[in-house]
Amino acid sequence: FFPQISTSQLVLFTSQRINSRQSSPTKKLSIVLLEIKNKENNMKAPSCFVTAVILCALGTVSADDDKYVTCGSAIKLTHVESGGKFFLQSDERQLQSGSGQQLVTAAPNNNSPKGLWQVREGHDTPICPVGTPVKCGSTIRLMHLETGSNLHTHGIRSPLSNQHEVTGFGQEGEGDPGDDWEVVCEGGSYFSGSSEYWRRDRPIQFKGTGTKRFLGSSSTVKFTEQNCGRGCPILNQLEVFARKSSDSYTQWKAEQGVYLSK
């Protein structure tokens, strides 16, 4: 049987924990996930229910001004060209070619915590206070909350589309300048960076500050048994790459997440 606890009670529990902790943003978010997990384990709820409850809480807790993505927040990014059905995600697996670094793909499972990325300031840039809206044109890192690696790109070729690799790199948010991405906001009919802050309800692009290439994916560049082998653990997931062009393949949108406020 499912535990007798309402969604509103769990969301309140999550919100109180976020606001009451005096530790770093990473530790705050980790504590929230851990404590909800422990709360449900004590009730002996099925794992699928645990996942659903966690994501319900993640999608509900937000800042007072719910228009913008803020520093310290943990977000999920959906890929626009593939219909918003694929989420940027990573885990402990390594690429079997190229750099051999941590694998990053776009996966159709929006219930997985593997798709949570924390928004942090870039290397050698001023600290972005927790809860501050992210300015267009600013440099950020996206740290994978589950593994502590940063979203990273470099000049090594990607395995399927022969563009630039996108990987997870570093530990606990510490990596190198290949982890830095410029936030390119939608302005007018195209991406000109004229908007002041990164809005949740509009497409966004990320441009590698070192390679000048855009974070991208494509619904047509998919891992299959033909290119990944039988029993492929990332079957039907999309390759994530960095490409020269700023186009429909490089548009993303912030969806579910824990949005922190000051």
Side-chain angles (χ1 to χ4, degrees), residues 4 21 28 53 60 76 128 148 161 169 175 189 196 214 235:
Q4 298 300 310
R21 299 289 178 176
K28 287 181 184 178
V53 167
T60 307
K76 288 194 167 191
C128 184
S161 63
F169 179 75
S189 60
E196 188 175 2
F214 293 87
L235 190 67

Side-chain angles (χ1 to χ4, degrees), residues 140-151:
I140 65 166
R141 284 171 290 166
L142 291 171
M143 187 190 78
H144 189 236
L145 202 60
E146 191 169 89
T147 63
S149 66
N150 294 323
L151 189 69

Side-chain angles (χ1 to χ4, degrees), residues 124-141:
D124 299 323
T125 61
I127 292 176
C128 184
V130 172
T132 302
V134 177
K135 289 185 177 181
C136 301
S138 61
T139 300
I140 65 166
R141 284 171 290 166

Side-chain angles (χ1 to χ4, degrees), residues 153 162 170 185 193 253:
T153 190
N162 203 33
C185 301
K253 198 171 180 181

Side-chain angles (χ1 to χ4, degrees), residues 78-86 106 163 186 189-191 202-206 214-221 238-239 241 243-253:
T78 57
H79 185 239
V80 175
E81 181 270 340
S82 59
K85 298 177 181 178
F86 287 81
Q163 301 182 83
E186 183 179 20
S189 60
Y190 207 61
F191 290 86
R202 293 181 183 173
I204 194 77
Q205 292 183 314
F206 303 98
F214 293 87
L215 179 70
S217 191
S218 171
S219 57
T220 63
V221 184
L238 307 183
E239 179 187 70
F241 45 71
R243 61 190 272 112
K244 288 182 179 180
S245 303
S246 167
D247 53 28
S248 61
Y249 299 110
T250 59
Q251 295 181 21
W252 302 83
K253 198 171 180 181

Side-chain angles (χ1 to χ4, degrees):
F1 295 94
F2 291 131
Q4 298 300 310
I5 180 170
S6 69
T7 300
S8 59
Q9 287 175 307
L10 199 56
V11 170
L12 178 59
F13 166 81
T14 308
S15 180
Q16 287 172 337
R17 290 298 182 184
I18 290 175
N19 293 326
S20 65
R21 299 289 178 176
Q22 299 302 315
S23 55
S24 68
T26 305
K27 290 181 180 178
K28 287 181 184 178
L29 294 170
S30 299
I31 289 167
V32 168
L33 293 174
L34 179 61
E35 292 192 356
I36 293 176
K37 183 76 172 179
N38 287 342
K39 193 175 183 72
E40 294 307 314
N41 281 344
N42 292 338
M43 295 175 181
K44 299 182 179 180
S47 59
C48 60
F49 180 76
V50 173
T51 301
V53 167
I54 289 174
L55 289 177
C56 179
L58 292 181
T60 307
V61 179
S62 61
D64 292 335
D65 187 346
D66 60 2
K67 293 181 180 179
Y68 304 113
V69 174
T70 56
C71 292
S73 296
I75 64 173
K76 288 194 167 191
L77 291 168
T78 57
H79 185 239
V80 175
E81 181 270 340
S82 59
K85 298 177 181 178
F86 287 81
F87 293 75
L88 186 72
Q89 77 165 40
S90 185
D91 58 31
E92 298 286 356
R93 283 190 285 259
Q94 310 295 312
L95 281 164
Q96 299 303 304
S97 62
S99 68
Q101 292 178 1
Q102 186 171 307
L103 183 67
V104 174
T105 62
N109 184 7
N110 70 330
N111 291 327
S112 173
K114 296 178 181 180
L116 283 168
W117 302 84
Q118 187 182 37
V119 181
R120 309 180 74 179
E121 67 276 353
H123 287 86
D124 299 323
T125 61
I127 292 176
C128 184
V130 172
T132 302
V134 177
K135 289 185 177 181
C136 301
S138 61
T139 300
I140 65 166
R141 284 171 290 166
L142 291 171
M143 187 190 78
H144 189 236
L145 202 60
E146 191 169 89
T147 63
S149 66
N150 294 323
L151 189 69
H152 179 91
T153 190
H154 45 224
I156 298 175
R157 296 293 176 182
S158 62
L160 299 185
S161 63
N162 203 33
Q163 301 182 83
H164 280 193
E165 268 188 1
V166 170
T167 64
F169 179 75
Q171 295 181 330
E172 297 303 320
E174 298 300 324
D176 66 24
D179 309 334
D180 290 341
W181 300 86
E182 178 187 348
V183 177
V184 183
C185 301
E186 183 179 20
S189 60
Y190 207 61
F191 290 86
S192 65
S194 61
S195 298
E196 188 175 2
Y197 295 106
W198 174 3
R199 291 179 59 106
R200 298 187 214 171
D201 59 348
R202 293 181 183 173
I204 194 77
Q205 292 183 314
F206 303 98
K207 185 178 181 181
T209 59
T211 63
K212 308 302 180 186
R213 297 211 173 196
F214 293 87
L215 179 70
S217 191
S218 171
S219 57
T220 63
V221 184
K222 187 176 293 187
F223 289 97
T224 65
E225 287 190 350
Q226 286 70 39
N227 59 40
C228 186
R230 294 187 65 182
C232 176
I234 52 173
L235 190 67
N236 295 322
Q237 295 183 25
L238 307 183
E239 179 187 70
V240 173
F241 45 71
R243 61 190 272 112
K244 288 182 179 180
S245 303
S246 167
D247 53 28
S248 61
Y249 299 110
T250 59
Q251 295 181 21
W252 302 83
K253 198 171 180 181
E255 290 286 339
Q256 300 164 322
V258 178
Y259 290 95
L260 301 182
S261 58
K262 290 184 179 180

